[in-house]
Amino acid sequence: MKAHKETLGHWPLQIISAAFFVMIFIANASTLILLNILLLWHIHVGIEEILTDHVHHEVTRNLIFIFLRIFFLIIIKYAFVFFVF
């Protein structure tokens, strides 16, 4: 059985990103953009870990990761446009 290379690697990243959510509550455009990017990154790390555990076929998992990253880039773009303009 192959061991995960990120057995505990995702937890410190999620804790750090969650701490940033608490620290960033000043309501100007740049911090809101940063908050959205951190939120989507936090969600992305969590979904990646769930998919790593439950999707066993590597090609399918990598394809889902690619589509998930594209989806989050589109969401970040729309959040940026919404908060800046």
Side-chain angles (χ1 to χ4, degrees):
M1 186 169 173
K2 189 167 88 172
H4 292 301
K5 66 178 183 179
E6 304 176 350
T7 304
L8 292 175
H10 73 283
W11 289 112
L13 295 175
Q14 283 197 321
I15 291 171
I16 290 169
S17 64
F20 278 121
F21 296 149
V22 173
M23 289 189 290
I24 301 176
F25 276 109
I26 301 170
N28 62 20
S30 62
T31 56
L32 288 174
I33 291 169
L34 180 63
L35 183 63
N36 282 318
I37 290 172
L38 284 173
L39 176 67
L40 290 171
W41 180 74
H42 182 78
I43 293 169
H44 181 266
V45 170
I47 290 174
E48 243 184 42
E49 186 62 29
I50 291 169
L51 289 175
T52 302
D53 289 341
H54 295 287
V55 178
H56 300 293
H57 196 270
E58 187 174 352
V59 174
T60 305
R61 185 173 53 238
N62 288 337
L63 190 61
I64 292 171
F65 288 159
I66 289 169
F67 288 140
L68 188 65
R69 288 179 185 134
I70 291 170
F71 174 72
F72 281 138
L73 285 174
I74 291 169
I75 296 299
I76 288 171
K77 179 191 77 156
Y78 282 120
F80 177 77
V81 169
F82 177 73
F83 285 119
V84 171
F85 297 113

